[in-house]
Amino acid sequence: MNVFNPIVHIEAATIILILALLSLKLKLLDRGGILASIPIGYVIYVFGGVDYFILLLVFYLTSGAATKLRVRRIGKDVFDKDSIRGWRNVVANGAAAAIISLLNIAGFNRGRITAAYLGAVGTAFADTLATEIGLLYPGEPRLITNMKRVLKGTPGAVSPYGYLGGTGALLILILSSMAVRAMDLRLAVATMVSGILGMTVDSVLGATIQSKYRCVICGKLTESRVHCGKAAEIVDGISIIDTHMVNLISTILGALIAYLIASA
């Protein structure tokens, strides 16, 4: 395998270093996010291959552009949504994909592993664009569990823009997979179905068990444990289940769904 080729390791290190510097310059990631992205990107490049890495890059750059667009249009102070991603966000969205890439050295069926990889990346991609594009929705979104109107950015909130954004992300991923010859009809179906289900599960978990806080200083609702320099009080959900844990759970489920579809 390429994992034993030193040239592949040199390529991976060089490309990832260049991307890390560009990400820092363009303010796509903070320093913690850069440090977390290096091992994840390296593992995917070396153990998954260039095609896996390109698909990850498509997700990363498209999501970064969507975030920049959202911040330019409505600002960054929307339920404290990230404008520059940190290490928790990177790990939550990339850890499952990196672990799946490692399975390529264990003799598993490449097609099924690729399906799981696309399920994980597709879920993260769909959820991210659903959030970013959904925040541009001119009306009030609705909570997925009871369809009541809620504030923009509320965990579990859904809108037509959000689902269009998520579906668009999956179409971009499928077309990109075709371009690198990592796609067939079964994988396309697995990617689309797992991505939509994965981002829906993310919304359900966000509405039900994800922790939500209220700032004790300004009274603002937030996803952050600390706000205005003080520990915020939890008002709903389970304290250990934050937005990043929800993302991680969803990407794992997305991978499992895609793997099962590809195995049927």
Side-chain angles (χ1 to χ4, degrees):
M1 285 189 64
N2 286 337
V3 67
F4 301 113
N5 185 345
I7 300 300
V8 172
H9 291 269
I10 294 171
E11 287 178 355
T14 302
I15 291 171
I16 290 169
L17 178 60
I18 292 171
L19 289 172
L21 293 174
L22 287 173
S23 297
L24 200 58
K25 181 176 178 61
L26 295 173
K27 296 183 179 180
L28 297 176
L29 299 174
D30 63 18
R31 292 182 184 276
I34 293 293
L35 291 175
S37 69
I38 290 173
I40 288 175
Y42 189 85
V43 166
I44 290 173
Y45 191 105
V46 172
F47 293 91
V50 176
D51 53 347
Y52 278 28
F53 186 78
I54 289 173
L55 298 178
L56 179 74
L57 193 59
V58 168
F59 158 48
Y60 172 59
L61 294 178
T62 306
S63 299
T67 299
K68 294 291 185 183
L69 172 64
R70 180 258 297 176
V71 171
R72 182 175 297 179
R73 289 287 301 274
I74 63 173
K76 60 184 180 180
D77 192 28
V78 182
F79 218 90
D80 293 327
K81 297 295 183 185
D82 293 334
S83 57
I84 302 177
R85 293 180 170 85
W87 71 268
R88 292 179 177 84
N89 186 283
V90 171
V91 171
N93 286 298
I99 292 170
I100 291 165
S101 297
L102 288 170
L103 297 178
N104 281 296
I105 65 172
F108 289 95
N109 180 278
R110 172 76 175 186
R112 293 175 183 175
I113 294 303
T114 299
Y117 180 80
L118 289 169
V121 173
T123 295
F125 197 179
D127 177 62
T128 301
L129 254 65
T131 298
E132 299 296 356
I133 303 302
L135 288 171
L136 302 179
Y137 182 60
E140 291 181 310
R142 295 177 182 272
L143 199 65
I144 193 170
T145 50
N146 57 23
M147 289 294 110
K148 290 183 178 179
R149 297 184 184 277
V150 291
L151 296 174
K152 288 183 180 181
T154 300
V158 294
S159 71
Y161 278 26
Y163 267 91
L164 284 174
T167 303
L170 294 168
L171 289 174
I172 291 171
L173 184 61
I174 289 170
L175 291 174
S176 300
S177 300
M178 290 179 177
V180 298
R181 299 182 179 180
M183 180 62 66
D184 58 25
L185 181 59
R186 178 171 289 190
L187 286 180
V189 172
T191 301
M192 183 61 71
V193 173
S194 63
I196 291 175
L197 289 177
M199 72 174 179
T200 301
V201 167
D202 189 284
S203 295
V204 172
L205 295 178
T208 55
I209 65 173
Q210 180 182 326
S211 55
K212 295 96 174 172
Y213 298 85
R214 187 184 303 278
C215 179
V216 296
I217 303 297
C218 69
K220 180 181 177 181
L221 290 173
T222 177
E223 294 179 333
S224 303
R225 291 185 175 91
V226 177
H227 200 271
C228 293
K230 296 286 186 179
E233 61 176 359
I234 188 167
V235 293
D236 193 18
I238 302 171
S239 61
I240 62 172
I241 308 295
D242 62 7
T243 182
H244 305 300
M245 181 63 72
V246 166
N247 288 342
L248 179 60
I249 293 170
S250 300
T251 56
I252 293 171
L253 288 174
L256 289 172
I257 292 168
Y259 182 87
L260 291 173
I261 292 173
S263 302

